[in-house]
C-alpha cells in the first residue's frame, strides 16, 4: 500500500519556514517579530490552506487555521508567492488582478510587509531555506521551472524565480567551505526594501548572509569533540575509565558552549581555532558536573540514555566524573604551548571562578531540598540558577573565548556578565518548562524528572507562593518524599496543581521577559565590539533563547 504524502501547502510552507528559522537563524525571526508586535495576521492560500501568524515577544507563532478576527488579512495565489519571495516590487505593484488581496489598516499592513521583507530577504540567504522553498516551487513547475537551484550549476539557465537564481549563482552547492569555524555570517544589517515610499531590487544590495546557527553549532561541536578525543589518553583502564569518559560528551548536546567560546574569540579578532581546546575543556568540566549532578539528583536518564551511575554503578560514575574534571584542568594548562603564559593564566582564573560558582549553586539547590525549603521569591532561583548553570553555560564560555583572543582586562570581560546572566536564566527556565511539557524524545530526560527530584524551579516556587492554604500541606507531603518513594502519579499531581494556578504560563512569560532584557543588554553592553562574524553568531545565540518553541 502506497503511503500518501501530505500536500505541501502554502500554510505548511510558512509553518516549516518559521520552525526552521527558530533553529537556524533566530535573529531573523526576532527582527520580523519586532515589526509585527500586537498584529494578528490571517493568510489564505490558493491551495485552500489557511494560517494565522502572531508575534509573541521575539517569537513568531504559526497556527494552520483560519484567523477569526485578523488585524491584517492577505489572500494570494502562486503568482503572488513568487513576487513576494523575489521582493522586486513595491506592494502596490504586487496587487495583480485576481492574485493578491490585502485588507487592514495602513500602518498594520506596512508593518506586516516589513516583517515579510525581512523574512524573505534574509532567510533566502540560507541554503536550507532555498531547499525548502525550492521543494514547494517544484509542485508547480509550469510557473517557475522545474530545476532546484541548489542542485544546478552556477551558469545554468535561469528557472525564473529571480531570488533563487541570484543566490544559486552567488552561492553554488559545490562552493568551498569557509576556512574558519565561524563563517557565512551577516556583518551588516539589511536595508528594508520597502518603507512605504520607495523600493529597490534586493539583489542590488550588499550581500546579506546570516549564519545558519544549527550548522555553525554542529561545526563547533564536531571540532570540540575531535579535540576531546585527542585529549583522552589511549591507555588502560579503558573499559572502566577512558571509554566511559567518552560516553557523556558523545551524547550529542546542542553545542552551545563550544559555539559561544569560539564565537567570542572570533568577535575580538582572535583565530577561532585558538579557542577549540578551551571549548573542549569546558565540555569536559560540564560533563563531569553532569555525571555528579545525576548522582546527587538520583536521575535515571540523560539525553535519552541511562545515566552513568544507573548503567555502571555509583563507584565508577563518581570516578569518571573526577577523571573528566582532572582532564579538563590538564586541557586548560596545555594552552601554554599555543596561547602563552598570560592568556593561559587568564583561562585558569576563569575556569576556577566558573567551577566555584557552579558548586556554590549546586550547594544552594541541594540545601533547599535537604532542609525541605521552597524559596519565597524568584530572586533566590535567579541566584541559584546563575551560579549552578548560568556561569558555565553562558557567561564563562564568552569570557573564556575572549581570553583566548588575548582579552584579559576584567572591565572588558565583565561586559558579558549581565546580558548572558539574563539570557542564561531564561534558558534554564525554558529547560525546566520543557521537562514538564516538552516531548521526551526532544528533551532527552525522563518525563517530569524535575518534579520527581524535587527541583526548586520557578514553576514550583510560583505554585507554593500562590497555592491556597488548604492545598499546601498535601503539596509539601508529596514534595518532601525521597526520590525513590515518588511515583509518576505524585509528579502528575504536582503538575496538575501548577496548571490550576497558572505556574507554567507565569514561567513562560517570565522567561520571555528576561530574554528580551538580556538581548537589550547584549546590544548595549557589547556595542564596543565591531560588527563581525563572531559577534553575529553571539547575537544569533542570544535570540535562540527567545525563539525556540515551548
Amino acid at each position: 500500500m502506497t503511503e500518501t504524502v501530505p500536500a505541501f501547502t502554502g500554510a505548511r510552507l510558512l509553518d516549516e519556514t518559521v520552525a526552521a528559522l527558530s533553529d537556524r537563524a533566530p535573529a531573523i525571526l526576532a527582527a520580523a517579530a519586532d515589526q509585527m508586535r500586537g498584529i494578528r495576521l490571517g493568510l489564505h492560500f490558493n491551495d485552500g490552506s489557511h494560517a494565522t501568524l502572531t508575534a509573541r515577544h521575539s517569537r513568531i507563532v504559526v497556527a494552520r487555521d483560519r484567523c477569526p478576527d485578523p488585524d491584517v488579512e492577505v489572500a494570494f495565489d502562486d503568482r503572488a508567492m513568487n513576487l513576494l519571495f523575489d521582493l522586486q516590487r513595491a506592494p502596490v505593484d504586487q496587487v495583480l488582478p485576481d492574485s493578491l488581496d490585502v485588507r487592514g489598516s495602513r500602518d498594520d499592513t506596512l508593518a506586516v510587509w516589513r516583517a515579510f521583507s525581512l523574512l524573505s530577504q534574509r532567510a533566502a540567504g540560507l541554503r536550507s531555506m532555498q531547499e525548502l522553498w525550492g521543494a514547494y516551487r517544484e509542485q508547480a513547475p509550469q510557473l517557475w521551472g522545474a530545476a532546484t537551484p541548489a542542485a544546478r550549476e552556477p551558469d545554468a539557465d535561469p528557472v525564473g524565480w529571480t531570488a533563487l537564481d541570484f543566490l544559486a549563482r552567488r552561492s553554488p552547492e559545490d562552493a568551498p567551505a569557509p576556512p574558519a569555524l565561524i563563517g557565512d555570517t551577516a556583518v551588516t544589517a539589511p536595508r528594508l526594501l520597502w518603507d512605504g515610499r520607495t523600493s529597490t531590487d534586493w539583489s542590488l544590495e550588499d550581500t546579506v548572509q546570516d549564519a545558519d546557527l544549527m550548522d555553525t553549532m554542529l561545526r563547533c561541536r564536531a571540532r570540540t569533540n575531535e579535540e576531546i578525543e585527542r585529549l583522552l589518553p589511549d591507555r588502560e583502564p579503558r573499559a572502566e575509565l577512558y571509554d566511559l569518559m567518552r560516553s557523556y560528551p558523545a551524547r550529542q548536546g546542542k553545542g552551545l558552549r563550544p559555539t559561544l567560546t569560539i564565537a567570542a574569540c572570533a568577535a575580538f579578532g582572535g583565530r577561532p581555532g585558538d579557542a577549540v581546546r578551551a571549548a573542549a575543556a569546558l565540555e569536559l568540566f560540564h560533563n563531569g558536573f553532569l555525571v555528579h549532578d545525576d548522582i546527587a539528583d538520583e536521575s535515571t536518564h540523560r539525553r535519552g540514555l541511562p545515566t552513568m551511575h544507573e548503567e555502571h554503578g555509583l563507584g565508577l560514575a563518581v570516578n569518571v566524573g573526577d577523571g573528566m574534571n582532572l582532564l579538563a584542568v590538564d586541557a586548560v594548562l596545555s594552552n601554554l604551548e599555543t596561547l602563552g603564559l598570560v592568556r593561559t593564566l587568564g583561562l585558569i582564573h576563569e575556569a576556577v571562578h566558573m567551577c566555584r560558582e557552579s558548586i556554590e549553586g549546586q550547594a544552594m539547590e541541594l540545601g533547599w531540598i535537604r532542609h525541605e525549603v521552597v524559596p519565597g521569591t524568584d530572586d533566590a532561583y535567579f541566584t541559584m540558577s546563575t551560579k549552578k548553570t548560568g556561569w558555565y553555560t553562558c557567561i564563562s564560555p564568552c569570557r573564556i573565548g575572549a581570553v583566548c583572543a588575548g582579552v584579559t582586562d576584567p572591565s572588558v570581560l565583565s561586559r558579558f556578565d549581565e546580558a548572558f546572566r539574563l539570557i542564561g536564566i531564561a534558558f534554564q527556565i525554558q529547560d525546566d518548562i520543557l521537562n514538564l511539557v516538552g516531548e521526551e524524545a526532544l528533551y532527552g530526560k525522563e518525563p517530569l524528572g524535575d518534579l520527581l527530584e524535587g527541583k526548586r524551579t520557578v514553576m514550583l516556587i510560583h505554585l507554593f507562593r500562590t497555592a491556597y492554604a488548604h492545598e499546601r500541606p498535601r503539596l509539601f507531603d508529596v514534595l518532601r518524599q525521597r526520590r525513590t518513594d515518588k511515583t509518576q502519579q505524585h509528579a502528575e499531581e504536582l503538575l496538575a496543581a501548577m496548571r490550576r494556578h497558572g505556574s507554567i504560563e507565569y514561567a513562560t512569560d517570565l522567561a520571555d521577559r528576561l530574554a528580551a532584557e538580556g538581548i537589550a543588554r547584549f546590544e548595549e553592553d557589547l556595542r564596543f565590539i565591531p560588527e563581525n562574524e563572531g559577534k553575529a553568531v553571539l547575537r544569533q545565540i542570544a535570540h535562540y533563547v527567545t525563539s525556540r518553541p515551548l
Side-chain angles (χ1 to χ4, degrees), residues 22 27 51 90 93 96 109 113 124 145 179 181 183 208 213 218 245 360 395 416 448 469 476:
S22 295
D93 297 324
L96 305 177
T109 300
W113 188 262
L181 289 177
V208 175
L213 183 58
L218 284 173
M245 287 171 66
E360 287 177 357
I395 304 172
F416 287 106
L448 306 185
F476 266 114

Side-chain angles (χ1 to χ4, degrees), residues 81 90 101 242 247 418:
M81 291 283 282
D101 185 20
Y242 295 118
S247 172
E418 183 60 14

